[in-house]
């Protein structure tokens, strides 16, 4: 299955997530989209390199309209989603600088747009009238919940793929898969190295001020509804998704 076909399936999943009255189904669709991205990259990495076209890293950015200056939680979110998709993010003036392979950047951008909208929706629901600072602490908690869920999903996905390879009793298949997983996991490091080799100074993030623990925890609780992590099962291969 081509990258273009996979990206179309991802767009359909995110459209399903955005226009679904059931928040459980919406969250499941989002997790399936992220898992599909990862599984497809791993499957592509198992192919003979002679059959694949190697993409080169590029520089791009999100526009100033994302409001990074007053909403550093968006930079944190882009960093979380970038790491999950092999994309390096950094603060670039009013923008979020992005470095990575074009297909990885597109995948990360789809997820970013959806998560931004969901976090803003939850903030309006839980933080109305409580002030900008309160809402930012809440949103940072949401981002942390998404980060934890994505990490759990990646671990669960790779475990399932290894179990499937091991079940075939083909030692070479497992070796090829492990090498492919390592290659995909190193994409973020490769993008980071490329970025640092091209620009003299990279502001990689924002630690921010102290957060109110109770508000941050509320954000974590609410944010866990956005992305269910390893609870989302995608079957025995990306080719079986949305057929």
């Amino acid at each position: 299955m081509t990258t273009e076909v996979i990206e179309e399936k991802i767009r359909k999943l995110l459209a399903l997530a955005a226009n679904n009255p059931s928040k459980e189904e919406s969250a499941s669709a989002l997790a399936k989209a992220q898992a599909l991205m990862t599984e497809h990259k791993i499957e592509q990495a198992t192919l003979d390199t002679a059959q694949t076209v190697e993409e080169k890293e590029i520089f791009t950015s999100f526009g100033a309209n994302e409001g990074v200056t007053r909403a550093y939680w968006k930079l944190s979110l882009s960093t979380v989603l970038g790491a999950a998709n092999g994309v390096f993010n950094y603060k670039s003036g009013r923008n979020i600088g992005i470095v990575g392979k074009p297909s990885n950047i597109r995948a990360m951008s789809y997820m970013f747009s959806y998560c931004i909208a969901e976090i803003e929706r939850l903030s309006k629901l839980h933080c109305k009238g409580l002030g900008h600072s309160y809402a930012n602490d809440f949103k940072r908690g949401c981002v942390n919940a998404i980060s934890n869920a994505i990490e759990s999903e990646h671990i669960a996905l790779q475990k399932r793929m290894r179990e499937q390879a091991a079940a075939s009793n083909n030692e070479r298949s497992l070796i090829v898969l492990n090498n492919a997983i390592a290659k995909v996991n190193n994409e973020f490091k490769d993008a980071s190295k490329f970025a640092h080799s091209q620009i003299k100074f990279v502001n990689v993030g924002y630690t921010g001020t102290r957060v109110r623990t109770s508000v941050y925890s509320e954000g974590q609780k609410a944010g866990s509804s956005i992305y269910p992590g390893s609870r989302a099962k995608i079957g025995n291969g990306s080719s079986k998704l949305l057929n």
Side-chain angles (χ1 to χ4, degrees):
M1 196 178 302
T2 66
T3 298
E4 290 75 16
V5 171
I6 291 294
E7 289 182 2
E8 179 59 27
K9 288 180 180 288
I10 290 166
R11 283 193 288 270
K12 288 181 179 179
L13 280 167
L14 293 179
L16 174 63
N19 299 288
N20 198 318
S22 168
K23 289 306 169 186
E24 183 175 343
E25 291 181 7
S26 178
S28 178
L30 176 68
K32 286 178 181 178
Q34 178 64 70
L36 176 57
M37 295 175 197
T38 304
E39 185 172 11
H40 173 65
K41 287 197 296 181
I42 292 172
E43 289 178 346
Q44 288 295 105
T46 64
L47 300 176
D48 185 342
T49 54
Q51 302 176 30
T52 60
V53 178
E54 189 67 25
E55 294 180 280
K56 294 183 178 180
E57 283 86 359
I58 62 171
F59 280 82
T60 185
S61 67
F62 289 127
N65 62 326
E66 291 298 341
V68 179
T69 301
R70 285 181 52 80
Y72 283 93
W73 62 273
K74 293 182 180 180
L75 179 58
S76 296
L77 177 64
S78 73
T79 300
V80 165
L81 297 177
N85 292 288
V87 177
F88 179 74
N89 293 260
Y90 62 98
K91 181 75 167 55
S92 177
R94 292 177 176 269
N95 296 348
I96 298 174
I98 308 167
V99 181
K101 297 176 181 178
S103 61
N104 288 347
I105 290 174
R106 288 193 297 272
M108 178 251 179
S109 298
Y110 301 149
M111 298 294 292
F112 183 82
S113 296
Y114 178 84
C115 288
I116 286 286
E118 281 299 290
I119 291 174
E120 293 285 14
R121 179 186 66 81
L122 289 172
S123 176
K124 290 178 181 178
L125 183 66
H126 292 271
C127 307
K128 186 176 181 180
L130 296 174
H132 179 78
S133 178
Y134 184 101
N136 267 349
D137 288 351
F138 177 88
K139 291 171 182 177
R140 289 168 70 182
C142 288
V143 172
N144 180 259
I146 293 171
S147 175
N148 291 339
I150 287 178
E151 182 178 2
S152 296
E153 175 60 34
H154 275 208
I155 292 171
L157 172 62
Q158 292 176 12
K159 179 181 178 182
R160 289 197 296 271
M161 295 185 77
R162 287 189 172 104
E163 287 174 347
Q164 291 164 15
S168 68
N169 293 319
N170 186 330
E171 185 176 350
R172 173 168 171 74
S173 293
L174 185 57
I175 292 172
V176 170
L177 175 63
N178 283 332
N179 289 339
I181 288 174
K183 180 179 179 180
V184 169
N185 288 342
N186 281 330
E187 283 187 332
F188 175 77
K189 292 181 180 178
D190 293 341
S192 175
K193 288 179 181 178
F194 181 76
H196 284 86
S197 71
Q198 298 297 311
I199 48 183
K200 293 181 179 180
F201 177 76
V202 177
N203 186 350
V204 296
Y206 169 73
T207 56
T209 57
R210 292 181 180 179
V211 297
R212 282 160 288 196
T213 304
S214 60
V215 181
Y216 188 81
S217 296
E218 284 298 311
Q220 288 176 309
K221 181 179 178 180
S224 65
S225 68
I226 297 175
Y227 193 112
S230 59
R231 288 177 289 167
K233 306 300 181 184
I234 64 172
N236 295 319
S238 60
S239 61
K240 295 187 178 182
L241 208 65
L242 281 183
N243 286 331

